[in-house]
């Protein structure tokens, strides 16, 4: 009995060899609700291994220089042949590989070359599952400038899916209006999966990867952080903006807008429920957990601008921001006081333009002083639970002060979903651990 529609995306590490194809098949066959599968290209089997997509880009670079790519392509071919043989797939895998190699040479197109990793994996997975294959170039549409055409795609794709009750649609690529292949940015199969989920009207988009979901903090900084069981799309946005990554950030939009939850799961541990990304926090979310996660990012500069009676001066803030706009610089945060205004800017934005911007602010705003502090790190503490829990800020600041961390800036978003602090880079690890430990009890 079909209760719903699930769309599954499997990342490159989940389809890196025949063993993993078997795991994928077991997962798909364990639940009849799975109707559409979006595969990536085979990824790394071990740390020093090469991703098929990287090898394909290298093949293209050789072709572009009129050098032979055949020897390199053999590495790619060997991986697909090994998978096909071990799975005893009954089709002409060598023919497909020869055709692909030849087309890479003839077309001399980097997107086309790169897309073949997903294309060939999709063909093989469809054979292995006994499902239909839909070429993404026919259903994922870009406009002539290469911008993803969301509505056009949704129309064409949902129509196509009606003819295929179960199908494999390769991730990462689509086509321009003239049919020429175009890819998303790297890691873009996540986006394809979300697009298919929207077009299928899925009840859930299951993103199968090699980790059991989102962690509450970066494990390179905080030891053994807990896994987040439930996360809202807004919390996800706050955490990923601060550098927490599991999903391609453009993969959030199609499913969020369509009201479809995303479930991050681990192909190597399918019994783990992973992380559920939902529209709104569910009523049974663990109330004792005030924060959902903590994430941070280094290398920011803080411009602190001071001027007596600033609050009474018309257009002061606008003139400061105009100076940034004139030099094409975007800012991250803008905490203000009565006579002070601070602007937090990523160092990479400022590299060559710092002096010019300062000069412009001096000219147009005539402040009493401008102080520039570089070497700032930002940490965002995020969670819907913070809205209803009194004393959250006190707990956060006490934890930082007990750890001897000096706070250089505080910004609490008006949504009360997060509190962002700016600290010195050298305090980053200590601060992340202090915040995590203050809120998470084992
Ligand atoms: N295979 C592509 C990449 O390596 C797309 C993806 O895996 O999502 O970036």
């Amino acid at each position: 009995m079909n209760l719903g529609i699930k769309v599954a995306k499997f990342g490159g590490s989940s389809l890196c060899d025949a063993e993993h194809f078997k795991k994928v098949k077991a997962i798909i066959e364990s639940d009849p609700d799975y109707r559409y599968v979006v595969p990536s290209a085979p990824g790394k089997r071990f740390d020093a291994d090469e991703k098929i997509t990287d090898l394909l880009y290298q093949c293209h670079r050789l072709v572009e220089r009129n050098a032979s790519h055949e020897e390199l392509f053999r590495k790619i071919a060997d991986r697909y042949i090994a998978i096909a043989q071990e799975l005893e797939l009954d089709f002409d895998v060598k023919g497909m590989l020869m055709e692909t190699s030849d087309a890479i040479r003839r077309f001399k197109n980097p997107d086309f070359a790169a897309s073949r990793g997903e294309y060939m994996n999709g063909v093989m997975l469809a054979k292995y599952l006994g499902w239909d294959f839909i070429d993404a170039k026919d259903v994922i549409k870009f406009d002539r400038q290469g911008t993803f055409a969301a509505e056009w795609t949704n129309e064409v794709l949902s129509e196509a899916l009606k003819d295929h009750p179960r199908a494999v649609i390769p991730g990462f690529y689509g086509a321009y209006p003239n049919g020429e292949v175009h890819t998303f940015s790297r890691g873009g199969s996540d986006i394809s999966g979300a697009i298919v989920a929207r077009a299928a009207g899925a009840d859930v988009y299951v993103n199968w990867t090699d980790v059991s979901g989102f962690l509450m903090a970066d494990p390179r900084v905080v030891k053994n952080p807990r896994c987040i069981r439930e996360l809202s799309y807004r919390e996800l946005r706050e955490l990923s903006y601060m550098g927490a990554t599991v999903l391609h950030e453009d993969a959030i939009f199609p499913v969020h807008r369509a009201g479809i939850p995303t479930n991050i799961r681990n192909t190597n541990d399918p019994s783990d429920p992973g992380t559920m990304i939902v529209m709104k926090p569910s009523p049974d979310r663990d109330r004792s957990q005030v924060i959902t996660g903590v994430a941070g990012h280094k290398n920011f500069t803080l411009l602190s601008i001071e001027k007596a009676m600033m609050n009474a001066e018309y257009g002061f803030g606008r003139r400061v921001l105009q100076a940034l706009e004139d030099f094409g610089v975007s800012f991250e945060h803008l905490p203000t006081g009565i006579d002070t205004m601070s602007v937090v800017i990523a160092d990479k934005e400022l590299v060559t333009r710092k002096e010019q911007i300062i000069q412009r602010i001096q000219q147009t705003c005539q402040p009493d002083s401008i102080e520039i502090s570089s070497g700032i790190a930002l940490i965002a503490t995020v969670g819907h639970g913070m809205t209803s829990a009194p004393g959250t800020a006190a707990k956060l600041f006490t934890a930082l002060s007990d750890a001897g961390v000096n706070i250089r800036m505080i910004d609490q978003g008006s949504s009360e979903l997060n509190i962002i602090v700016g600290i010195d880079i050298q305090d980053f690890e200590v601060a992340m651990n202090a915040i995590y430990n203050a809120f998470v009890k084992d």
Side-chain angles (χ1 to χ4, degrees):
M1 187 179 66
N2 278 357
L3 296 172
I5 298 178
K6 287 182 180 167
V7 169
K9 178 258 167 178
F10 289 91
S13 52
S14 301
L15 287 163
C16 61
D17 57 16
E19 231 21 74
H20 281 81
F21 266 68
K22 289 179 190 166
K23 291 184 189 182
V24 165
K25 187 174 189 183
I27 289 170
I28 294 300
E29 291 184 345
S30 72
D31 186 343
D33 289 352
Y34 281 117
R35 300 272 298 277
Y36 301 105
V37 173
V38 176
S40 285
K44 291 185 181 190
R45 293 158 294 180
F46 42 87
D47 263 0
D49 199 13
E50 285 163 305
K51 289 175 89 172
I52 291 290
T53 310
D54 291 333
L55 293 172
L56 286 162
Y57 277 120
Q58 285 174 36
C59 280
H60 166 72
R61 282 195 287 273
L62 288 172
V63 166
E64 209 178 25
R65 287 194 264 125
N66 292 320
S68 165
H69 70 299
E70 275 169 28
E71 201 184 315
L72 186 60
F73 192 82
R74 204 157 306 134
K75 274 194 189 177
I76 298 172
D78 287 347
R79 298 233 354 224
Y80 284 100
I81 291 169
I83 295 173
Q85 278 176 350
E86 199 180 323
L87 301 180
E88 296 176 359
L89 296 184
D90 178 24
F91 91 111
D92 181 13
V93 61
K94 290 189 179 147
M96 173 179 80
L97 286 157
M98 263 161 63
E99 236 173 71
T100 303
S101 170
D102 192 47
I104 290 174
R105 186 181 50 76
R106 278 185 295 118
F107 293 169
K108 283 201 165 83
N109 174 335
D111 283 14
F112 175 80
S115 73
R116 295 305 88 185
E118 270 70 10
Y119 171 83
M120 293 192 287
N121 234 16
V123 170
M124 300 222 305
L125 186 60
K127 295 270 179 225
Y128 185 46
L129 295 175
W131 286 19
D132 295 345
F133 173 79
I134 302 177
D135 192 344
K137 86 171 172 28
D138 300 326
V139 288
I140 305 275
K141 305 285 185 186
F142 293 90
D143 68 16
R144 260 181 285 171
Q145 282 71 43
T147 306
F148 171 60
E151 297 317 310
W152 183 20
T153 297
N154 198 47
E155 248 170 63
V156 174
L157 181 56
S158 43
E159 209 41 53
L161 296 183
K162 284 184 194 148
D163 298 332
H164 302 276
R166 292 180 196 279
V168 175
I169 305 117
F172 189 40
Y173 71 94
Y176 289 108
N178 66 2
E180 204 179 295
V181 165
H182 185 52
T183 59
F184 290 107
S185 56
R186 295 298 304 264
S189 298
D190 281 344
I191 313 173
S192 311
I195 293 165
V196 173
R198 177 185 171 204
D203 296 284
V204 57
Y205 168 35
V206 191
N207 191 298
W208 290 91
T209 176
D210 53 3
V211 290
S212 293
F214 250 87
L215 297 174
M216 287 188 74
D218 184 342
R220 288 166 301 185
V221 181
V222 173
K223 217 167 135 211
N224 289 330
R226 278 199 206 165
C227 186
I228 304 175
R229 286 286 157 235
E230 185 192 276
L231 180 71
S232 73
Y233 279 107
R234 284 179 60 202
E235 288 169 320
L236 172 68
R237 166 106 180 96
E238 302 281 351
L239 290 169
S240 13
Y241 162 73
M242 275 294 171
T245 48
V246 172
L247 267 183
H248 191 298
E249 60 173 13
D250 293 341
I252 300 167
F253 194 64
V255 268
H256 185 193
R257 206 171 56 168
I260 300 168
T262 300
N263 188 195
I264 313 276
R265 301 281 291 268
N266 189 347
T267 306
N268 300 311
D269 188 5
S271 60
D272 191 303
T275 299
M276 201 67 174
I277 308 168
V278 294
M279 298 299 288
K280 279 207 255 38
S282 59
D284 52 349
R285 198 193 263 203
D286 180 3
R287 294 273 150 211
S288 65
Q289 196 67 67
V290 174
I291 71 162
T292 302
V294 47
H297 223 42
K298 292 178 180 173
N299 301 326
F300 293 91
T301 294
L302 185 64
L303 298 187
S304 307
I305 306 156
E306 198 170 332
K307 186 172 187 183
M309 305 301 286
M310 177 194 287
N311 66 327
E313 189 172 321
Y314 291 113
F316 188 91
R318 183 187 54 73
R319 288 197 296 277
V320 171
L321 299 185
Q322 188 68 52
L324 298 180
E325 191 178 335
D326 288 348
F327 291 100
V329 166
S330 66
F331 67 93
E332 308 293 320
H333 298 282
L334 194 69
T336 54
I338 302 173
D339 288 337
T340 60
M341 181 168 168
S342 305
V343 193
V344 181
I345 302 167
D347 286 349
K348 63 176 188 316
E349 288 276 313
L350 277 179
V351 187
T352 54
R353 294 165 285 194
K354 188 151 81 186
E355 297 313 320
Q356 289 155 301
I357 291 171
I358 305 291
Q359 248 179 33
R360 180 66 60 87
I361 296 176
Q362 301 273 21
Q363 282 161 4
T364 58
C365 304
Q366 299 180 343
D368 298 334
S369 68
I370 303 184
E371 199 187 303
I372 305 157
S373 324
S374 40
I376 298 287
L378 297 180
I379 297 183
T381 307
V382 175
H384 285 289
M386 287 162 58
T387 338
S388 50
T392 306
K395 199 171 188 173
L396 175 69
F397 299 137
T398 308
L400 290 176
S401 116
D402 288 350
V405 175
N406 181 27
I407 302 175
R408 307 287 303 268
M409 180 219 74
I410 301 170
D411 195 3
Q412 178 172 27
S414 49
S415 59
E416 284 191 54
L417 189 67
N418 64 7
I419 298 176
I420 294 173
V421 292
I423 53 164
D424 290 328
I425 279 184
Q426 64 268 24
D427 291 335
F428 184 73
E429 276 75 19
V430 172
M432 287 280 281
N433 279 285
I435 299 173
Y436 181 83
N437 291 329
F439 287 99
V440 182
K441 309 245 176 328
D442 284 318

